[in-house]
Amino acid sequence: MTTTTVDVFNHNVPAESDFGYSQAIRSGDLIYISGQLSFGEAGELLHPDDFAAQLRQTHANTDKILDHYGVTRNQVVSQVLYLVNLRENAAAMAEGNLAYFGAHRPAATAFGVTDLTFPGQVVEISFVVDTKLPSGPGQRGR
């Protein structure tokens, strides 16, 4: 019988215990990252209603998780983005995504939503990471 190792990561913000979830969980070779958002060390929303600033902070919070597991952005295989005012923020989302991932191109789905958890929150992103992928820039598919 094969045993799968499970490793959980938390930012230690109040929402984790209030809602009963972890920021990320590794099961075997995959890491599932919960919806990340623009929160600070105490769990407070940073940059209300500022899409570009929230996206940068969301990516910074994601990097903490990637660092914990010793993986890189190049190993992200999928992302799901939830955006308030999708059409209004589409260009900033594309620019931020290209800046964050560089030449790497994970699968992505974007949803326009009316509201997110915190007042002034305009973006949330969940990720799936495959630890078996190369950590550096890979070859492009055909």
Side-chain angles (χ1 to χ4, degrees):
M1 177 190 317
T2 303
T3 303
T4 299
T5 302
V6 176
D7 180 5
V8 174
F9 175 84
N10 285 303
H11 288 298
N12 297 314
V13 296
E16 294 162 353
S17 60
D18 293 349
F19 291 98
Y21 74 100
S22 294
Q23 296 294 334
I25 186 167
R26 180 178 180 161
S27 179
D29 296 322
L30 297 178
I31 301 166
Y32 300 90
I33 300 177
S34 293
Q36 296 299 293
L37 53 120
S38 179
F39 58 82
E41 295 296 321
E44 76 283 12
L45 180 72
L46 302 175
H47 317 295
D49 298 312
D50 183 336
F51 184 86
Q54 283 191 33
L55 186 58
R56 283 189 300 276
Q57 184 62 48
T58 297
H59 285 147
N61 290 341
T62 302
D63 284 342
K64 291 177 186 176
I65 296 169
L66 298 177
D67 289 346
H68 168 79
Y69 289 107
V71 296
T72 71
R73 299 169 185 178
N74 290 313
Q75 292 167 289
V76 173
V77 293
S78 176
Q79 62 177 333
V80 178
L81 303 97
Y82 302 91
L83 307 143
V84 174
N85 299 320
L86 174 63
R87 287 182 184 87
E88 178 183 315
N89 292 313
M93 175 190 65
E95 183 179 321
N97 214 42
L98 289 170
Y100 186 69
F101 285 110
H104 180 60
R105 298 290 184 265
T109 301
F111 291 99
V113 298
T114 8
D115 208 4
L116 290 164
T117 306
F118 296 100
Q121 181 185 353
V122 293
V123 63
E124 187 164 330
I125 310 172
S126 64
F127 300 87
V128 177
V129 179
D130 185 341
T131 62
K132 284 194 168 188
L133 290 179
S135 59
Q139 295 179 346
R140 295 187 68 67
R142 295 180 193 198

